[in-house]
Amino acid sequence: MSAATGKESIKALWLERLSSALRTALACTVVGCTTLYGPARLGHFLAYPAFSYVTAILIVSDATLGDTLRGCWHALYATIQVMIPCILTFQVIGPARFSNGLAAVAVAITTFMVALPESTPLMAKRIAFGQAVIVFVGAAIHGAEEGVVTHPIHVASSTALGALASVLAMLIPYPWLAYCKARKTCRLYVENASERLNIYVEGLTAQNKQAAADLLSQAKFLSVTGAKHLQTIKDTRGGMACEKPQIRKLNPGENLQDIEILMKGVEIALDSCPSFPVSMIDEGIKQALLDMKGKIGLKLQNAKCLAPFDATTAPEAKAGESNVLAPKIGGATQADLPAFFFLYCLELLSRELPVGQNPECNSENTNKTDTRDVTSKRDQEKANLRKTWDYSTIKLPNMERWTLATKCSLSMGFAVLFGLIFNKENGYWSGLIIATSFVTERQATFTVANARGQGTAIGSVYGILCCFIFQRFVDLRFLPLLPWIIFTSFLRHSRMYGQAGGIAAVIGALLILGRKNYGPPNEFATARLVEVCIGLICFIMAEILLQPARAATLAKTEFAGSLRALRDCIDDTFQLCAGQKSALSSSIPALRRKHQEVRSRINNLEKFIAAAESEPNFWFLPFYGACYRKLLVSLRKMECLLLFVAIEIETLSQVSDRLLQVLINSIYLLPLGGHVRFSLKCIEELISMNSLALLESGVQKISTSHDDTELGKSSPSADEVFRTLSPDEEEVENSISQHSKEEADGIEKREGAQELKSRLILRIYSLEFCISSLIKETREIEKQVKELITWENPESQFSTKEGSHGGG
């Protein structure tokens, strides 16, 4: 069954990318036919067909109709932002006076002004950079031949052709709507989630550990595909809002994201089971699992059409249905905690509850909270849509924005200057290679530059070969572009080339096969390749001078940032324990936003790890990818577990403030949070220390500041340092179990309701599991960091005599 689901997902992904490639080819065909075979009067205005291709590629790649319409607005915004200053500049100075140096300065200033505002969309910045290069370099090349107004109009017309071709490609043969894409992806995700649910339930009832491990491996493979489906749905939101503004009221990914979080909790629980068969699973619980699986399956089917997760025709829970757990709760052991957490996650799924919503609070408060949250999200979406045009939203740039704008300005300015000096007729391409792949976030410098250079080279070689083959049929040489566009559309999704390399590859061939009257193809390809190298060298030098960012360095920096974000999230989570019940309704949405920040950090870390693994080492120490991969797994588990801790704290607080306080005082919830926070802070400080002397002084500081038991010791080893960071796990778990059982008996006496007791104690045991798992993952991070530091500093005192690390 899972194999069939995997094949269907791969087939759907392949068809989606093929459809995107065909529409990209259609957009380029519209541009090519218009510029190559269109009326001469029209061709006079479309003086820069190369930029028409560039605009079409930037807008239409992996886009829907809504994304394309938004891209057209961004192109218009970029045109207004660039053309007005250009015309004013030409009025003051005059195109005839533009030298190489003046053109470079003009490009640098324009680039700086466009890059500085945070409100300008990324697509608009890319198009604006390209327009600035063409306008000012064209003035430097042609001088007095270029008109003050006509030259900018020609550039704007070429931009408009690319945007219009993109819209036509999205409409022919039928409109490719973002809403349809979201619905289709939702169906794929629901099928994926249903298959995973079956595997998880089968895994919990497995009779041996090997069978459970095999099932878990299948589920993990499917979970990767499910995460990709969710990301696709998330990416369609902007397009859906442009296609039909009323659709912004629908957030198709929100309910599915809640499902995914709960599925992740089920996976963590199954992966944490120490032995199989699980001792607490009897025939009654097996039957309860089958009932819950059927109920959840019906709700998942309803989610296929983007309906709310709670709008379902599934049968209501029968009275006393959850009491099946009651006989086992009183005698639970530590080995049973993962199974109880498994059941808790299934219960949340079966009771149609969003992850951030509390099942025990009264409906009035819940409705008020949900209304405020939904209103806030809608207001934020409306604000984002207006952000492009509303200058009042522009914030005062911070130092990061100034650095980014300066770096972009210098790289573009010097690229244009040196490009014009080397070959004046082809001086455009040194700046355009930077403009078309501009990104606002930090990126792996060498990896991106390598991908752009290779993409340009293979695209140029393909173009030259096709020119040689079709040298007798010049009018037909546009035809081999179509398969190349399809190929490069798939190339953009490869790990080796990525978006930057794929775009460079398709543009490299388009500029040779999709134009005419530019001279011998061999000479043009050679000159352009050199110009691209000049641009990439300027790009690398600007990155190194202003913001050195090897992928390995970025991964280490992002890891420290992930620890910091995780620690802040822990602070807010455990502050809920001391807060008042009235403050919880506003605290939970804020806490979920913190979790989003943690998740974003971890996703960035994963990207940098992948880039660092493919980046050349040069004279640097080889990147220890295996260790970072293990750290990534632990970080993702901690982020997920913290969200469940917040849910459980909210649930218990709504039932009884005294209950929550008893649990806090009894199971040392706040002290445990303090230990985890202190451990993460120490690891963050250690990982941020660049020199060996600072590293060893940091070890001394941590070892002496944590506990008085370490006083009197000198030169502690890594094992001694990391041993102080977490409490004894077995002692904590025993304390948790003892006090939870006492509180369980108290609940039964006070409440007298068996079903409520079962549900509450299920949450208590789930909280125990999450806390103990947080400790385990923290210690795992400590172990991996120790191994990483030993790898990077083999001559330091972190090279333990016990040989406990596995690095190398």
Side-chain angles (χ1 to χ4, degrees):
M1 183 67 178
S2 61
T5 304
K7 290 181 179 179
E8 287 296 324
S9 298
I10 294 174
K11 179 181 177 182
L13 179 64
W14 189 86
L15 290 175
E16 179 183 336
R17 291 182 179 176
L18 179 61
S19 174
S20 175
L22 291 174
R23 291 183 184 274
T24 303
L26 179 58
C28 293
T29 301
V30 171
V31 173
C33 292
T34 303
T35 56
L36 292 176
Y37 312 113
R41 182 175 298 181
L42 179 63
H44 174 71
F45 286 95
L46 304 175
Y48 297 95
F51 197 68
S52 298
Y53 287 119
V54 170
T55 303
I57 293 294
L58 291 177
I59 293 177
V60 81
S61 298
D62 297 326
T64 59
L65 179 59
D67 297 326
T68 304
L69 293 175
R70 185 172 55 175
C72 291
W73 282 112
H74 292 168
L76 176 61
Y77 179 54
T79 302
I80 296 173
Q81 197 175 23
V82 171
M83 294 306 158
I84 294 177
C86 288
I87 293 174
L88 294 177
T89 302
F90 287 157
Q91 287 280 6
V92 175
I93 301 176
R97 299 179 182 178
F98 263 75
S99 62
N100 295 349
L102 186 57
V105 171
V107 169
I109 294 175
T110 305
T111 300
F112 183 86
M113 299 304 296
V114 172
L116 188 60
E118 188 177 1
S119 60
T120 305
L122 176 61
M123 179 71 69
K125 289 182 178 180
R126 289 179 173 178
I127 296 175
F129 292 163
Q131 289 177 335
V133 169
I134 293 177
V135 168
F136 292 118
V137 173
I141 294 174
H142 302 291
E145 298 177 8
E146 301 290 356
V148 172
V149 178
T150 55
H151 178 45
I153 287 179
H154 291 166
V155 177
S157 301
S158 300
T159 305
L161 174 62
L164 179 61
S166 301
V167 175
L168 291 177
M170 288 296 110
L171 293 173
I172 301 172
Y174 59 88
W176 178 228
L177 301 176
Y179 184 71
C180 296
K181 183 178 181 180
R183 286 176 62 92
K184 180 180 178 181
T185 311
C186 279
R187 287 195 292 270
L188 291 173
Y189 175 79
V190 168
E191 293 171 1
N192 178 280
S194 300
E195 179 62 24
R196 277 190 286 161
L197 179 64
N198 295 333
I199 292 175
Y200 290 142
V201 173
E202 187 178 352
L204 187 66
T205 58
Q207 297 303 307
N208 58 76
K209 197 170 184 65
Q210 184 58 46
D214 293 341
L215 291 168
L216 188 60
S217 297
Q218 296 179 29
K220 287 182 177 180
F221 172 77
L222 290 174
S223 67
V224 174
T225 305
K228 292 179 180 178
H229 290 328
L230 284 179
Q231 184 60 44
T232 300
I233 295 171
K234 182 179 178 181
D235 293 340
T236 61
R237 293 178 185 173
M240 290 171 65
C242 290
E243 291 169 359
K244 194 174 182 181
Q246 296 90 325
I247 283 210
R248 71 166 65 100
K249 299 178 182 179
L250 239 165
N251 189 350
E254 183 177 7
N255 291 329
L256 298 183
Q257 185 63 52
D258 290 339
I259 296 172
E260 182 63 24
I261 292 172
L262 295 174
M263 285 287 185
K264 183 62 178 176
V266 172
E267 180 182 309
I268 292 174
L270 184 60
D271 198 18
S272 302
C273 289
S275 61
F276 292 89
V278 180
S279 59
M280 64 161 284
I281 302 297
D282 56 18
E283 292 302 322
I285 293 183
K286 285 183 180 179
Q287 185 59 44
L289 285 172
L290 292 176
D291 293 341
M292 281 194 288
K293 185 176 73 171
K295 185 177 180 181
I296 296 169
L298 290 174
K299 296 178 184 296
L300 288 174
Q301 292 301 317
N302 189 73
K304 280 187 176 182
C305 55
L306 297 182
F309 191 51
D310 56 354
T312 178
T313 57
E316 296 294 331
K318 299 177 182 179
E321 185 177 290
S322 62
N323 290 346
V324 67
L325 300 178
K328 287 290 181 180
I329 283 180
T333 63
Q334 291 298 316
D336 294 330
L337 290 182
F340 278 109
F341 184 64
F342 186 103
L343 296 171
Y344 171 68
C345 294
L346 288 188
E347 185 196 29
L348 288 180
L349 277 169
S350 65
R351 290 183 179 274
E352 58 208 38
L353 295 172
V355 172
Q357 183 178 325
N358 168 38
E360 304 295 345
C361 63
N362 60 68
S363 59
E364 182 180 356
N365 292 338
T366 302
N367 290 335
K368 290 180 181 178
T369 301
D370 290 345
T371 302
R372 285 193 300 267
D373 197 19
V374 170
T375 303
S376 174
K377 289 179 180 177
R378 292 178 182 174
D379 291 343
Q380 182 63 35
E381 290 173 355
K382 293 177 182 178
N384 289 338
L385 289 173
R386 294 193 302 264
K387 194 175 183 181
T388 299
W389 299 99
D390 188 1
Y391 284 91
S392 64
T393 61
I394 299 177
K395 300 178 181 178
L396 187 65
N398 54 23
M399 183 55 65
E400 184 178 354
R401 302 299 308 177
W402 285 101
T403 303
L404 175 67
T406 304
K407 178 180 65 177
C408 188
S409 174
L410 290 177
S411 61
M412 292 279 288
F414 281 110
V416 167
L417 176 63
F418 295 134
L420 286 171
I421 292 174
F422 173 75
N423 188 322
K424 195 164 187 176
E425 291 299 320
N426 292 288
Y428 303 97
W429 313 115
S430 56
L432 283 176
I433 189 62
I434 302 176
T436 55
S437 299
F438 172 78
V439 294
T440 53
E441 69 270 9
R442 301 180 72 184
Q443 56 184 339
T445 306
F446 293 108
T447 302
V448 173
N450 180 59
R452 292 178 189 174
Q454 288 192 31
T456 302
I458 63 174
S460 301
V461 170
Y462 180 82
I464 292 172
L465 290 176
C466 290
C467 284
F468 175 77
I469 295 173
F470 289 88
Q471 57 184 336
R472 295 185 179 180
F473 309 97
V474 178
D475 292 337
L476 298 180
R477 68 183 186 182
F478 185 81
L479 294 179
L481 268 178
L482 303 181
W484 181 252
I485 293 172
I486 295 174
F487 171 73
T488 53
S489 295
F490 285 92
L491 200 66
R492 285 199 302 269
H493 298 280
S494 67
R495 184 177 300 177
M496 178 179 295
Y497 288 94
Q499 289 288 331
I503 291 176
V506 68
I507 291 176
L510 277 168
L511 297 181
I512 295 176
L513 298 175
R515 299 187 306 149
K516 57 185 179 181
N517 301 326
Y518 58 85
N522 292 0
E523 296 180 7
F524 170 77
T526 303
R528 182 175 180 270
L529 192 57
V530 176
E531 293 283 345
V532 166
C533 291
I534 292 173
L536 293 179
I537 291 173
C538 293
F539 164 75
I540 293 174
M541 293 305 297
E543 289 278 351
I544 292 176
L545 292 176
L546 292 179
Q547 203 172 24
R550 282 187 68 239
T553 305
L554 289 176
K556 191 172 183 178
T557 303
E558 196 65 32
F559 173 56
S562 300
L563 292 177
R564 183 164 53 255
L566 195 61
R567 182 161 49 85
D568 293 341
C569 193
I570 291 174
D571 289 337
D572 288 358
T573 300
F574 287 98
Q575 283 176 5
L576 287 177
C577 304
Q580 299 296 323
K581 183 186 296 187
S582 60
L584 285 172
S585 60
S586 59
S587 298
I588 290 298
L591 187 59
R592 293 196 69 180
R593 286 191 290 271
K594 281 290 183 69
H595 279 91
Q596 291 292 338
E597 180 183 349
V598 174
R599 187 176 295 116
S600 176
R601 282 278 194 175
I602 295 174
N603 290 337
N604 289 336
L605 174 61
E606 185 175 21
K607 294 177 184 178
F608 291 138
I609 291 174
E613 288 175 335
S614 61
E615 189 175 51
N617 294 320
F618 294 115
W619 54 87
F620 301 103
L621 189 71
F623 181 71
Y624 198 176
C627 185
Y628 274 97
R629 289 289 178 185
K630 294 177 182 177
L631 290 170
L632 186 65
V633 171
S634 296
L635 288 173
R636 289 200 181 279
K637 282 187 178 181
M638 292 187 72
E639 181 268 328
C640 185
L641 289 167
L642 275 174
L643 185 55
F644 281 105
V645 170
I647 299 168
E648 290 146 5
I649 290 175
E650 183 193 18
T651 300
L652 295 173
S653 67
Q654 293 291 342
V655 175
S656 170
D657 286 333
R658 194 178 76 83
L659 167 62
L660 181 60
Q661 293 304 319
V662 168
L663 288 173
I664 292 171
N665 296 329
S666 299
I667 69 175
Y668 307 108
L669 190 59
L670 289 177
L672 281 179
H675 280 297
V676 174
R677 290 197 302 268
F678 179 80
S679 178
L680 294 179
K681 182 180 180 181
C682 293
I683 296 171
E684 179 191 344
E685 291 177 354
L686 288 177
I687 210 72
S688 302
M689 294 176 182
N690 297 322
S691 67
L692 183 59
L694 286 175
L695 189 63
E696 294 178 347
S697 65
V699 172
Q700 294 285 351
K701 179 181 177 181
I702 293 169
S703 61
T704 56
S705 63
H706 179 263
D707 199 330
D708 290 338
T709 59
E710 293 298 323
L711 291 176
K713 293 188 178 183
S714 60
S715 300
S717 67
D719 288 327
E720 291 171 335
V721 171
F722 284 108
R723 197 178 294 123
T724 66
L725 296 182
S726 293
D728 184 80
E729 188 178 316
E730 183 178 355
E731 177 184 349
V732 170
E733 290 179 347
N734 290 338
S735 175
I736 292 174
S737 180
Q738 175 186 351
H739 290 288
S740 294
K741 291 175 183 177
E742 293 174 359
E743 190 58 27
D745 295 336
I747 292 172
E748 185 175 17
K749 293 175 183 178
R750 291 195 305 272
E751 303 292 346
Q754 185 67 19
E755 182 175 356
L756 181 59
K757 172 196 170 184
S758 299
R759 293 174 63 188
L760 290 179
I761 300 183
L762 185 62
R763 283 154 176 75
I764 293 174
Y765 279 129
S766 298
L767 183 60
E768 294 178 20
F769 171 80
C770 291
I771 292 295
S772 60
S773 296
L774 280 172
I775 297 172
K776 291 178 181 177
E777 295 305 324
T778 303
R779 300 190 70 147
E780 180 64 23
I781 290 177
E782 294 165 4
K783 174 184 174 183
Q784 296 303 325
V785 168
K786 180 180 67 175
E787 184 174 337
L788 181 63
I789 294 176
T790 303
W791 166 268
E792 295 178 346
N793 304 275
E795 72 281 4
S796 72
Q797 61 182 348
F798 280 84
S799 301
T800 58
K801 297 179 181 180
E802 293 87 343
S804 58
H805 64 79

